[in-house]
Every structure is written in structure tokens, then in C-alpha cells.
């Protein structure tokens, strides 16, 4: 990279999100807090990048109503219709292009405005009306097929997946901002009732309300400060085919490609050893397992063995999702940006009760589309 | 500024009310493959793809970019979708510039599309862009907002329905020269004035059609651009500005365009647009909006707008031709529309405009507009200055 | 490729349910309309703008203004309008007038229908409507108000029909 980019401000919405705040209020709250955290005046802000989905928000152009509370008045603002972490990629590109020296990045989703049935219906409507949509594919059923294929290919068991839920929900208890803050046992997961084989109720994330905002600043514009900062050392993103029947569902190809790009940029050649903590997109418990392999934390098909060894537990060699992950909080669009925020908190020793002691290098992962079609990845460090 | 970025190729589909002959991915493929062919490129030359699609409710498929990604050549490549309403196409172009100027990519493809023809009434959906709690009860949509802006503009600028009709006649005439244009119909001033009133003062022939179509533009780094295109088109100035205006105030939208243009001009070193810019592709889906651009883009003062319209300032043989393509009034596939402005401006600089070519173009201007005034709501304006040097 | 292949399309209809959260600020505004037939606005003490429908923040100064309420009179002026004569799917049957109205003392406008104008002769109606037309808000009776913007209608202050 021609210059370095620091994450200088972070804000996440408080739990619980009650109906005292409208969606715009929620966005204003995190946007103004992130600016304050970055010690940046609204007049000094040059760029705003947003991530939001219209249909999930129930607003035909959601940023028309939500750009104002995100600080976009008379700013150069742009929106991606992707997971929130993609808005951070756009912001980084804008800063690296030399057009801007800082950016506010904001993403949100309010599940309470978009009932579960609507959410799943909209997910079904993401499929083309001719070939995929008529066959009851949505975020649950399509991911169930992917999970089944993965189990079949590598002999991973339902218990392995249940262990992921147990781990993440247990981690979530220590995250004051998490939506679900209660432990579940692997046994409870296995008995939680099949929704769509092999996915059981507790293999799936909740649908949550939430928003996340972040400020990034170019090293060229950074004033010296004693405040710890997270630095973006590398990032990458890629996209797989839409036709999920045309790809090996058990391999998250676009995540591997995104990881290659980010690892190369950040000079990571042994991620399992070099990364201290990771926040990844556990859209289902099975996806977290597949992601271990795509991210090269373990060889293909070996995720189950690593789970058995406890490698990714909070006190393991590479703690994954100390925040509790999506399985504890899932404000859909904002989820990926929250992963980055949590990774940034870890490398600056600001993660509070779920801090991994001495974490210096962290990985964060965002995902867009169904069956892990698009993925993006960030590598953060505490020192430049 | 990061490295210099050039446009090396463009590709457009034929625009129609309903492209019954192809699926959404087919349309994306048509534009993408034409853009690649325009500079004799293959997919291997493309490092990343940025996709534009405006409200997907128009198309009836959530996140339709994901379905179309394969057709844009985006399998196993960096890909993301940008959506800023009507400004989507130009925001995609801006995003493409950032991709290249960041130094991370040499050649990127910007492709944007819409199938407005999939829904019987786009304005029903465009009612849902307004605040669901305090604003959407009142039948608001884009047409009646522009009608209100127009009636205010008539007072502020002194133009009449006849002046609007003159713009409409000019643009429909221009569209005959553009092989891609959706509407190619003969229209007289009298036809416009006698066409049914949609929302006074807008009549049917003052309004854009609803179109299906896609547009693709290839952006490249300075080094690559010089190799790929005989006449690379340089992005010399660009700006985007989001404003939250008070609906009903004429000052709002016009001031936003003026501010955005000023920023882009400054970057491009344009201080006398009327002398330095030879052609304008402005984002004007309604006749009344185009004539207000004469002022807001700095081609004249407000008091002279009417005079300029009457003297044929923006006609093909006028001093500065506005929308030789026929413009948004003749073709409006919403998500693609603002990228079409940039493609058409680039075509003019390349000298590839054939029947719609304006002579001796060294600088061309393209604008985009999205969103709408409304309680607490944002509108998005973009301006890009393209040049031969 | 055959030139006369039959081209098919299939029907689709989206009928989705959402629950839009008004939040404290808009709730207070709507409840004041419902219970007291009053229009309340928020005011930014930094730029002095009075905002209605109220927002909890000022997007220009980027500060919270959520507890700074002012009451507005139920009168104002028409700032911009259109007479809709086309039937849009799902929207009201034409003709009708939509306007933006600036309530007295407000720096923003509200959208609403302009009623109380005879629309049987559109040419005649157009002559009667002007930017700056003084208007008043007329609330529904107490029991009929439900906390919506449609709890009141707007018509010209001077009725000379």
C-alpha cells in the first residue's frame, strides 16, 4: 500500500436496541460516537461510505433516508449494497486513491422492522425467478444444502457444528454488546430441533437490530496521539459464481481468493501461527468450519479435528469470534463491519471482558450474498 | 491525487421498454462483451468489477447483482455493487476510478443496469423511497417532486411550458442519431404541449420513458490506458455531493449541482466552462431539469437561461450541444443511466460518436442525479469532467 | 437463432410486511397530533433551524437535538405543489394535489395533500393555487385520530369556493 490506513474511531450500537430510537436515530448514535472516538469534527470529515440493503430495510432507497444521520450532509458519500465490511473496502480505496484522507463508514440493519418471515422471503427473492426461486431456497435452506454437502465431503459431524455454537454463545456472554448473552451446551444445540437438515434452530444466528460505524484516517493526516490505533495491513475480496449448483459448495472459493490477496498484502504466510485472533462470519455454525479451511487456518477437511483439539476456543491457539460472532448477534448488513470493529478493538486492547491478552494481529471477515458468494477480509495490527 | 485514470472502452445494449429477448444476465453480458470488444480486451485483462443497480424493487429480484455477477465476468474476481439511486451509474464510475487510482488494480470494469420494464409502474416503487412514517402517505413519487421543482423553476427562471417543449423536441431529434436510444420518435413543440398532463406542468413528452438496458465502461491506469486505447479519455475532474435539502425550495437541488460542478471543475482546471467544454451529457430525465443545468453547470447566468434555450444553445449545431445521445429523456434504465452519460461523454472525446459526434471535443462533461428531496431525505449529485489531455 | 421464438415472462408480486419503528422523537410528534392536535418540532440551538417532521439530530451541525421541542401553529404556506392527473398503481385516484407546506416558524417543509380546492375544472384550480398560498391544518376529531400524518388535512386559509 502506498500509505497506511488507521482505524481511528469505532462505535457499535448498545444492547438492547429498544424502540426509543428510530433507525435514523440508531445510525446517528453510532456515527456521532465514532467521530467522537476519532476526535474528528464533522467539518473535518471528507468521505462517507455506507453499506445497506433496501429490501431488508423496507425502504426503496434506504440511504436516501439514512445518509443524513450518517453524517453525509454536503459530503462525498457513496453506498455499497453489500455486507458492511465492503463499505470499509470502498473507504480504503477512496483513501488510497488520494482523493480523501479520511472516511466515516457506517452500516446497519434493524431486524425488528423486518420480521423473520419477510427476511426469509426477501432472501428467497434474491434468487432468479426461473431456476432457483421456485424451489424454496432462502438463507436457511440454501445454507443447509451447503452444510450437508460439507458434512458429506469431509465427514464432519453435527456435533462439530454444535461445538461451534457452544463456543460462540459462550464467548458472547462476555460481550456486553452482544444480542444473545446466554450459554448453550452442544447437547442443547443437537436437540434444538431441525429447521432444515442438518441445520437446527441453534445452528442459525438470531436476527438482531444494530449499527456499526468506523472512522479511518490516512497516516498522512494522522496527528500523533497516545491513543492505540488499529492499522489496516491488508485486505482482499472476491466473488464466486451465483449458480450454487455449479460450484463445490464445501469450498468457499471466493473466501480463499480474498484471503490470498489480504495475506499477500499483509505478508502472512502461516495464518494459524501469525494471527492472534479472528472475527469471522459464522452465518451458520457449519460455515465457521468451512471458513477455517478457506482461510487456511487448517488443511481442507481438517476443521473437525481442530475443533476436537480446542484450537479455536477462547483459550486456544487461535481464538475465533471472542465477541460471540453472528451466532450471538446478527444485524444482517452490519455484521461484517462489526467483525472488523471487534478485531480492531482486540489489537488495541479495548475489547474489555472478551479481550484476548496480547493480541497483536487480527483477522476480520465479511460476507455478502447467499452460499458465501462474496467475501472480504481484513488483516489488522496494533502497530504500524 | 493517486495515479491518473483513463477510460479505454464503452459498451451499451440496445435500450427498450422491455427487452423481451433477454434475461437480466444476458443484458449485462451484452454490455460487458461489447465494452471488452471496443478495446479488443478479454476478461483476463479485467482485474475487478464494480456493478451498479438501483432499487431492486424495480427489477423484482433482491440483490440482483449476485445473479448477474457471472455475466459481468466476476467469477473469482473482486466484485461489489454500488447503489445511490439515480446516481448509481456515475457512483459506479467513481468507484472504478478509486479502484484504479488506489494502485491496487490496473484495469477495472464498471457495469450498470436496470430492468425497469419488469414492474408495471415504477412510480409505485418510487413512492417507497420516502420516509415510511411521515411522508409516504401522500402519493409522493419522483414525477410529482420534479413537477413541484419545475413549477418553482418557472417562477425563478422565467421559463414556460413552451421552453420545456423546445428541449424535448431537441432531445427526441438527437435520439435518432443514437443507435442505442430507446425512444426514437418525431416530436413537435405542439405535440409536447398537447401530450397528456402527468403532473402539471409536466406533460408526458416532458418525461423520460422507463427502459431496460445495461452499460459498461472500462477504466485503466495511465500506463495501460495508453496501450489499450488509441484515444484514452482522462478523468480529469470528478465530484460527488450528498445534500439534504428542504423539499419545495428551488435553492436546494440547484445549489447542490452548482457546488458539485465547482469541485469537479477545480480538479480539472476548468474556469470558463462555456469556452472549455464542448459537449455535455447531463442527467435530465425531465425537460425542465435540462434547462436549469445551463445555469448550474456554469454556462450562463440564471437570467440568460431562457435566451439560450430560444437561441438553440444546446442543439447539435448550437454553441455547446447538450445530450447528443438524446439523453435521459429518451432512455432511462435507472441504475445504468448515469453511467450512460459518462460512456456517451467518453465516446465524444474518443471521436466515436458517428452521427451524434460533436466536432473537435477536447473536454466533455457528464453528470448524475439520484435520490430526491423529501423530509430528511438525501439527494446525490455527481459531476465528471473527461478530457483528451 | 430463430427470429420467431415465443418470448415468455412469468408473473411476480411482492407483498411484504414491515414494521417501521417511529422511535421516541417521531412517536412524541405523532402522539401530540393524536392526543392534543398539536404540531411539535425539534429545534437546533446551534443553527437555529426548526425541523418538522422532527428529527432527533441536526444533520448540518451533527448534534443531537432530541429534547429541544417547540410547538408550531397549525398554519403555514404552500411552497411547491403539483396536480396529479395520472393514475399510478397503488397511489390515490387522480386528480389530487400534493404540496410541500412550510408551517409558520419552521425551516423545513412537510408533504401533504392540499384539499378544499375544487378540482372539477383543473385550469380554474391551477389559477387559484400559488406558491405562498396561506393554509391551515384541520385535525380530525379526537376519537378518529390514530397518530398518523393523515390525522389532519390541509386546506387554503381563505375559503372562497
Amino acid at each position: 500500500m502506498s500509505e497506511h490506513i488507521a482505524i481511528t474511531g469505532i462505535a457499535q450500537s448498545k444492547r438492547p436496541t429498544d424502540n426509543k430510537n428510530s433507525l435514523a436515530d440508531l445510525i446517528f448514535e453510532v456515527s456521532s460516537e465514532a467521530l467522537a472516538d476519532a476526535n474528528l469534527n464533522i467539518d473535518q470529515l471528507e468521505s462517507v461510505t455506507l453499506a445497506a440493503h433496501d429490501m431488508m430495510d423496507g425502504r426503496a432507497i434506504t440511504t436516501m433516508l439514512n445518509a443524513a444521520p450518517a453524517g453525509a450532509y454536503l459530503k462525498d458519500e457513496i453506498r455499497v449494497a453489500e455486507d458492511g465490511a465492503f463499505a470499509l473496502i470502498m473507504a480504503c480505496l477512496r483513501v488510497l486513491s488520494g482523493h480523501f484522507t479520511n472516511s466515516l463508514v457506517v452500516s446497519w440493519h434493524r431486524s425488528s422492522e423486518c420480521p423473520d418471515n419477510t427476511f426469509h422471503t426477501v432472501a428467497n427473492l434474491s434468487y432468479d425467478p426461473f431456476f432457483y426461486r421456485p424451489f424454496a431456497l432462502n438463507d436457511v435452506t440454501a445454507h443447509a444444502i451447503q452444510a450437508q454437502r460439507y458434512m458429506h465431503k469431509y465427514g464432519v459431524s453435527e456435533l462439530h457444528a454444535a461445538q461451534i455454537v457452544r463456543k460462540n454463545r459462550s464467548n458472547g456472554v462476555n460481550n456486553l454488546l452482544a444480542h444473545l448473552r446466554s450459554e448453550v451446551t452442544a447437547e442443547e444445540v443437537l436437540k434444538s430441533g431441525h429447521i432444515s437438515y442438518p441445520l437446527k434452530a441453534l445452528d442459525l444466528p438470531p436476527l438482531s437490530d444494530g449499527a456499526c460505524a468506523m472512522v479511518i484516517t490516512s497516516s498522512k493526516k494522522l496527528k500523533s496521539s497516545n491513543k492505540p490505533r488499529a492499522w489496516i495491513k491488508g485486505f482482499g475480496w472476491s466473488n464466486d459464481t451465483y449458480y450454487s449448483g455449479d460450484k463445490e459448495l464445501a469450498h468457499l472459493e471466493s473466501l480463499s481468493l480474498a484471503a490470498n490477496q489480504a495475506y499477500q498484502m499483509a505478508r502472512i504466510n502461516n495464518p494459524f501461527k501469525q494471527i492472534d485472533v479472528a472475527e469471522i462470519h459464522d452465518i451458520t455454525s457449519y460455515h465457521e468450519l468451512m471458513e477455517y479451511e478457506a482461510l487456511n487456518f487448517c488443511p481442507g477437511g481438517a476443521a473437525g479435528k481442530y475443533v476436537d483439539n480446542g484450537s479455536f476456543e477462547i483459550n486456544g491457539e487461535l481464538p475465533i469470534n471472542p465477541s460471540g460472532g453472528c451466532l450471538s448477534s446478527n444485524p444482517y448488513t452490519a455484521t461484517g463491519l462489526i467483525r472488523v470493529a471487534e478485531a480492531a478493538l482486540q489489537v488495541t486492547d479495548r475489547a474489555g471482558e472478551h479481550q484476548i491478552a496480547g493480541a497483536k494481529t487480527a483477522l476480520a471477515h465479511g460476507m455478502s450474498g447467499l452460499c458465501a458468494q462474496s467475501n472480504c477480509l481484513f488483516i489488522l495490527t496494533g502497530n504500524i | 491525487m493517486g495515479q491518473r485514470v483513463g477510460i479505454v472502452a464503452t459498451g451499451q445494449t440496445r435500450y427498450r421498454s422491455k427487452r423481451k429477448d433477454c434475461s437480466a444476465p444476458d443484458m449485462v453480458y451484452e454490455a460487458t462483451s461489447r465494452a471488452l470488444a471496443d478495446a479488443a480486451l478479454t476478461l483476463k485483462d479485467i482485474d475487478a468489477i464494480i456493478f451498479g443497480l438501483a432499487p431492486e424493487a424495480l427489477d423484482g429480484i433482491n440483490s440482483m447483482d449476485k445473479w448477474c455477477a457471472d455475466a459481468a465476468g466476476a467469477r473469482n474476481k473482486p466484485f461489489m455493487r454500488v447503489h445511490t439511486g439515480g446516481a448509481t451509474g456515475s457512483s459506479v464510475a467513481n468507484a472504478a476510478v478509486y479502484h484504479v487510482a488506489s494502485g491496487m488494480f490496473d484495469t477495472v470494469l464498471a457495469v450498470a443496469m436496470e430492468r425497469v420494464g419488469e414492474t408495471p409502474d415504477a412510480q409505485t416503487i418510487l413512492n417507497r423511497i420516502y420516509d415510511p412514517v411521515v411522508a409516504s402517505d401522500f402519493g409522493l413519487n419522483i414525477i410529482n417532486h420534479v413537477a413541484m421543482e419545475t413549477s418553482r423553476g418557472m417562477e425563478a427562471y422565467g421559463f414556460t411550458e413552451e421552453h420545456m417543449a423546445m428541449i424535448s423536441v431537441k432531445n427526441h431529434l438527437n435520439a435518432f442519431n443514437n443507435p442505442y436510444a430507446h425512444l426514437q420518435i418525431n416530436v413537435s413543440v405542439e405535440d409536447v404541449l398537447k401530450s397528456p398532463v402527468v403532473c402539471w406542468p409536466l406533460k408526458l413528452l416532458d418525461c423520460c420513458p422507463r427502459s431496460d438496458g445495461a452499460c459498461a465502461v472500462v477504466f485503466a491506469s495511465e500506463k495501460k490506458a495508453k496501450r489499450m486505447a488509441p484515444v484514452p479519455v482522462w478523468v480529469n475532474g470528478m465530484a460527488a455531493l450528498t445534500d439534504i435539502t428542504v423539499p419545495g425550495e428551488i435553492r436546494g437541488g440547484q445549489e447542490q449541482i452548482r457546488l458539485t460542478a465547482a469541485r469537479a471543475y477545480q480538479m480539472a482546471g476548468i474556469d470558463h466552462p462555456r469556452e472549455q467544454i464542448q459537449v455535455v451529457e447531463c442527467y435530465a430525465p425531465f425537460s425542465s431539469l435540462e434547462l436549469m443545468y445551463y445555469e448550474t453547470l456554469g454556462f450562463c447566468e440564471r437570467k440568460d437561461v431562457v435566451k439560450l434555450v430560444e437561441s438553440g444553445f444546446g442543439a447539435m449545431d448550437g454553441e455547446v450541444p447538450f445530450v447528443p445521445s438524446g439523453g435521459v429523456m429518451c432512455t432511462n434504465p435507472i441504475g445504468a443511466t448515469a453511467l450512460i452519460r459518462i460512456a456517451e461523454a467518453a465516446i465524444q472525446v474518443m471521436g466515436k460518436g458517428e452521427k451524434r459526434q460533436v466536432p473537435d471535443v477536447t473536454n466533455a462533461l457528464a453528470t448524475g442525479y439520484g435520490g430526491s428531496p423529501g423530509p430528511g431525505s438525501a439527494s446525490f449529485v455527481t459531476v465528471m469532467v473527461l478530457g483528451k489531455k | 437463432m430463430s427470429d420467431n421464438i415465443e418470448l415468455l415472462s412469468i408473473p411476480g408480486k411482492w407483498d411484504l410486511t414491515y414494521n417501521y419503528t417511529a422511535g421516541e422523537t417521531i412517536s412524541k410528534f405523532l402522539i401530540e397530533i393524536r392526543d392534543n392536535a398539536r404540531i411539535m418540532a425539534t429545534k437546533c440551538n446551534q443553527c437555529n433551524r426548526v425541523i418538522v417532521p422532527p428529527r432527533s439530530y441536526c444533520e448540518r451541525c451533527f448534534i443531537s437535538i432530541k429534547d429541544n421541542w417547540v410547538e408550531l401553529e397549525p398554519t403555514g404556506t404552500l411552497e411547491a405543489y403539483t396536480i396529479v392527473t395520472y393514475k399510478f398503481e397503488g397511489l390515490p385516484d387522480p386528480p389530487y394535489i400534493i404540496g410541500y407546506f412550510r408551517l409558520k416558524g419552521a425551516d423545513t417543509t412537510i408533504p401533504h395533500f392540499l384539499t378544499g380546492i375544487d378540482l372539477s375544472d383543473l385550469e380554474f384550480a391551477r389559477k387559484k393555487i400559488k406558491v405562498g398560498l396561506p393554509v391551515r391544518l384541520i385535525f380530525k376529531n379526537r376519537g378518529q385520530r390514530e397518530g398518523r400524518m393523515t390525522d389532519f388535512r390541509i386546506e387554503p386559509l381563505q375559503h372562497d369556493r
Side-chain angles (χ1 to χ4, degrees):
Chain A
M1 276 189 280
S2 55
E3 60 192 288
H4 295 283
I5 297 174
I7 296 172
T8 50
I10 297 168
Q12 297 181 55
S13 54
K14 303 286 172 289
R15 173 189 180 272
T17 303
D18 55 32
N19 286 347
K20 282 185 178 172
N21 289 326
S22 68
L23 178 57
D25 296 341
L26 195 66
I27 293 164
F28 174 72
E29 178 188 303
V30 293
S31 302
S32 48
E33 275 180 26
L35 288 170
D37 191 36
N39 199 16
L40 196 71
N41 189 305
I42 187 77
D43 299 329
Q44 300 166 306
L45 181 66
E46 297 173 10
S47 150
V48 176
T49 67
L50 309 175
H53 285 292
D54 291 346
M55 297 308 299
M56 293 302 186
D57 280 2
R59 288 149 173 90
I61 306 176
T62 182
T63 50
M64 231 181 86
L65 303 170
N66 294 317
Y73 173 66
L74 293 186
K75 304 294 179 194
D76 189 323
E77 168 260 320
I78 195 165
R79 182 258 288 240
V80 299
E82 302 281 359
D83 171 76
F86 283 84
L88 180 58
I89 288 189
M90 179 65 81
C92 289
L93 292 173
R94 280 156 70 97
V95 169
L96 291 177
S97 76
H99 286 245
F100 307 95
T101 62
N102 63 31
S103 187
L104 178 65
V105 184
V106 194
S107 188
W108 59 83
H109 179 64
R110 189 169 193 133
S111 298
S112 61
E113 293 198 351
C114 175
D116 291 13
N117 284 335
T118 299
F119 187 91
H120 300 313
T121 304
V122 172
N124 171 252
L125 291 170
S126 307
Y127 281 110
D128 74 86
F130 306 100
F131 310 117
Y132 280 65
R133 193 189 292 177
F135 306 106
L137 290 168
N138 63 19
D139 54 308
V140 177
T141 57
H143 289 158
I145 294 169
Q146 194 165 27
Q148 188 280 328
R149 170 75 197 168
Y150 175 66
M151 280 173 67
H152 165 78
K153 182 149 179 155
Y154 290 123
V156 172
S157 71
E158 292 183 61
L159 180 60
H160 287 128
Q163 294 291 2
I164 299 293
V165 184
R166 193 247 331 126
K167 167 180 75 72
N168 289 356
R169 290 289 297 274
S170 162
N171 291 350
V173 172
N174 292 322
N175 177 2
L176 302 177
L177 302 177
H179 173 188
L180 302 178
R181 293 186 64 206
S182 56
E183 298 199 42
V184 296
T185 63
E187 178 96 334
E188 284 169 318
V189 178
L190 292 172
K191 287 191 174 155
S192 63
H194 277 288
I195 303 286
S196 183
Y197 174 81
L199 298 179
K200 293 160 293 296
L202 289 171
D203 286 314
L204 292 165
L207 292 172
S208 317
D209 284 11
C212 181
M214 198 175 283
V215 176
I216 62 167
T217 309
S218 157
S219 52
K220 288 179 188 163
K221 266 290 168 87
L222 218 47
K223 293 184 207 97
S224 64
S225 150
N226 294 329
K227 209 179 128 187
R229 289 179 173 123
W231 294 90
I232 297 172
K233 295 295 279 186
F235 58 99
W237 68 111
S238 193
N239 167 74
D240 207 334
T241 179
Y242 156 84
Y243 301 98
S244 45
D246 290 0
K247 63 179 180 184
E248 174 48 70
L249 282 168
H251 294 165
L252 307 185
E253 181 71 17
S254 74
L255 180 57
S256 294
L257 289 169
N260 291 347
Q261 193 186 352
Y263 288 164
Q264 198 179 4
M265 213 175 188
R267 298 202 172 84
I268 301 275
N269 44 40
N270 186 346
F272 186 71
K273 289 274 174 263
Q274 287 173 271
I275 292 166
D276 301 317
V277 56
E279 283 283 341
I280 67 178
H281 219 103
D282 48 335
I283 192 74
T284 75
S285 48
Y286 293 83
H287 283 77
E288 180 164 322
L289 292 164
M290 289 183 258
E291 288 159 11
Y292 295 161
E293 299 171 13
L295 292 168
N296 212 12
F297 292 166
C298 67
K305 202 179 82 196
Y306 276 62
V307 168
D308 291 338
N309 292 341
S311 302
F312 305 120
E313 299 287 334
I314 194 89
N315 53 4
E317 291 142 283
L318 172 47
I320 308 270
N321 286 332
S323 71
C326 298
L327 287 167
S328 298
S329 317
N330 180 32
Y332 181 65
T333 318
T335 301
L337 195 59
I338 292 172
R339 303 275 73 70
V340 187
E342 285 290 339
L345 292 174
Q346 288 289 349
V347 296
T348 49
D349 201 21
R350 295 169 75 197
E353 291 182 44
H354 57 290
Q355 177 67 45
I356 303 299
K360 295 218 163 38
T361 302
L363 176 148
H365 165 216
M367 183 190 280
S368 258
L370 293 160
C371 290
Q373 188 178 334
S374 283
N375 288 281
C376 69
L377 210 66
F378 285 88
I379 306 293
L380 309 181
T381 62
N383 327 81
I384 201 162
Chain B
M1 236 28 57
Q3 62 169 314
R4 216 172 164 209
V5 180
I7 292 175
V8 296
T10 68
Q12 299 183 61
T13 62
R14 205 42 232 272
Y15 305 110
R16 282 281 178 269
S17 308
K18 198 163 170 73
R19 282 289 305 266
K20 281 194 173 177
D21 60 317
C22 59
S23 68
D26 290 342
M27 238 157 56
V28 170
Y29 179 75
E30 190 177 319
T32 302
S33 54
R34 283 181 182 170
L36 294 176
D38 192 34
L41 304 173
T42 69
L43 208 49
K44 280 195 191 127
D45 296 306
I46 303 297
D47 303 323
I49 291 99
I50 307 101
F51 194 91
L53 179 74
E56 49 248 271
L58 296 168
D59 310 82
I61 295 168
N62 179 55
S63 294
M64 190 168 75
D65 49 295
K66 297 292 180 291
W67 182 28
C68 296
D70 291 80
R75 187 173 188 171
N76 293 345
K77 290 195 177 176
F79 173 84
M80 69 171 91
R81 170 180 167 209
V82 167
H83 167 17
T84 55
T88 295
S90 46
S91 296
V92 167
N94 289 1
V97 172
Y98 304 135
H99 274 64
V100 176
S102 72
M104 288 183 72
F105 305 100
D106 271 328
T107 313
V108 303
L109 173 80
V111 55
M113 60 121 27
E114 206 79 64
R115 294 207 79 144
V116 192
E118 300 289 86
T119 175
D121 195 337
Q123 296 301 326
T124 312
I125 287 150
L126 294 177
N127 170 252
R128 310 243 156 81
I129 64 181
Y130 298 101
D131 189 299
V133 181
V134 298
S136 67
D137 287 323
F138 306 108
L140 300 173
N141 59 33
I142 295 288
I143 297 182
N144 52 45
H145 262 98
V146 174
M148 288 188 255
E149 192 177 343
T150 301
S151 61
R152 294 301 305 264
M154 289 168 82
E155 290 180 20
Y157 287 75
F159 63 83
T160 64
E161 292 177 66
E162 283 79 5
H163 292 119
M164 289 157 56
M166 289 162 79
I167 298 285
S168 174
V169 169
K170 167 188 77 79
N171 291 348
H172 284 92
L173 192 66
N174 288 354
F176 278 106
N177 293 329
N178 177 1
Y180 304 109
H182 171 183
L183 292 184
Q184 292 177 318
I185 49 172
N186 265 309
V187 166
S188 70
V189 168
E190 189 164 60
D191 292 337
V192 180
L193 293 173
K194 283 195 172 156
S195 63
V197 179
V198 178
C199 298
W200 184 84
L202 296 175
K203 292 159 295 297
L204 195 61
L205 290 172
D206 289 309
C207 304
C208 62
R210 309 181 292 124
S211 315
D212 277 4
C215 176
V217 176
V218 180
F219 293 80
S221 61
E222 181 163 17
K223 217 166 93 186
K224 286 263 180 179
K226 284 177 176 163
R227 248 187 291 158
M228 284 174 170
V231 185
V233 179
W234 303 108
V235 179
N236 289 331
M238 59 188 256
L241 206 59
T242 293
D243 198 358
I244 290 85
T245 57
V246 176
E249 279 186 350
I250 185 70
R251 185 190 54 74
Q254 316 310 316
E255 185 62 20
Q256 182 186 7
I257 293 166
R258 195 185 333 247
L259 278 171
T260 318
R263 287 189 189 185
Y265 288 164
Q266 194 187 13
M267 197 187 288
I270 300 278
D271 36 29
H272 294 91
R274 193 162 167 174
E275 281 83 49
Q276 291 167 282
I277 291 167
Q278 292 78 39
V279 60
V280 179
E281 279 284 342
C282 60
Y283 190 104
F286 301 90
S287 56
S288 54
L289 298 179
E290 178 173 321
L291 49 83
M292 291 190 270
Y293 275 114
Y294 291 2
E295 180 217 4
T296 52
L297 294 177
F299 287 84
C300 69
E301 287 179 38
R302 181 173 289 193
K303 63 177 171 48
D304 295 325
V305 164
V306 165
K307 235 185 318 183
L308 254 54
V309 175
E310 288 172 352
S311 72
F313 173 79
M316 274 310 273
D317 56 356
E319 189 182 324
V320 181
F322 269 57
V323 294
S325 65
V328 190
M329 282 193 69
C330 297
T331 307
N332 192 7
I334 299 177
T337 302
L339 188 60
I340 298 171
R341 307 279 67 72
I342 288 164
E344 284 290 334
I347 285 169
Q348 292 289 346
V349 178
M350 289 172 178
K352 288 183 175 178
E354 297 177 347
K355 284 207 267 182
R356 62 190 186 285
Q357 181 65 47
V358 172
D360 307 321
V361 174
T362 54
N363 286 311
L365 191 62
T367 76
Y369 188 97
S372 167
S377 88
S379 41
F380 317 111
V381 168
T382 66
V383 175
M384 189 176 270
V385 184
L386 299 177
K388 214 170 225 166
K389 282 184 199 150
Chain C
M1 178 87 178
S2 161
D3 284 338
N4 48 14
I5 183 168
E6 188 189 357
L7 298 169
L8 305 178
S9 59
I10 60 171
K13 186 177 184 352
W14 292 18
D15 188 2
L16 300 169
T17 303
Y18 297 92
N19 306 303
Y20 297 112
T21 305
E24 258 177 344
T25 304
I26 303 288
S27 293
K28 178 175 166 69
F29 170 73
L30 295 175
I31 288 164
E32 284 286 349
I33 289 173
R34 185 190 66 195
D35 296 350
N36 304 316
R38 289 205 302 177
I39 300 288
M40 300 296 289
T42 50
K43 184 179 178 196
C44 175
N45 282 342
Q46 202 161 304
C47 66
N48 284 322
R49 289 189 313 141
V50 172
I51 297 171
V52 66
R55 294 198 275 276
S56 65
Y57 57 91
C58 171
E59 79 279 0
R60 299 191 184 180
C61 306
F62 219 59
I63 55 173
S64 171
I65 56 170
K66 69 183 291 186
D67 296 318
N68 202 20
W69 290 94
V70 291
E71 186 182 348
L72 297 180
E73 283 177 40
T75 61
T77 51
L78 176 67
E79 291 291 326
Y81 71 96
T82 179
I83 305 173
V84 182
T85 43
Y86 179 88
K87 172 62 187 167
F88 295 103
E89 186 183 311
L91 300 185
D93 290 329
Y96 52 93
I97 304 167
I98 314 171
Y100 274 105
F101 302 90
R102 190 187 300 276
L103 300 187
K104 200 173 168 191
D107 289 280
T108 60
T109 56
I110 59 168
H112 217 292
F113 297 119
L114 179 63
T115 57
I117 303 269
D118 183 3
L119 290 175
S120 56
D121 180 346
L122 293 181
E123 278 301 316
F124 181 71
R126 194 178 300 156
K127 286 190 190 114
K128 290 188 58 174
I129 310 167
K130 279 197 186 64
V131 169
L133 180 78
V135 297
R136 59 178 179 155
L137 277 54
I138 297 163
F139 288 87
K140 288 178 182 169
N141 292 329
R142 193 182 174 83
Q144 293 171 321
R145 297 196 297 263
E146 48 188 353
R148 297 285 303 261
M149 290 296 277
T150 42
D151 285 352
F152 59 88
R153 64 178 201 276
I154 297 185
E155 60 178 42
L157 194 59
Q158 241 85 54
H159 241 257
D160 57 357
R161 183 142 45 123

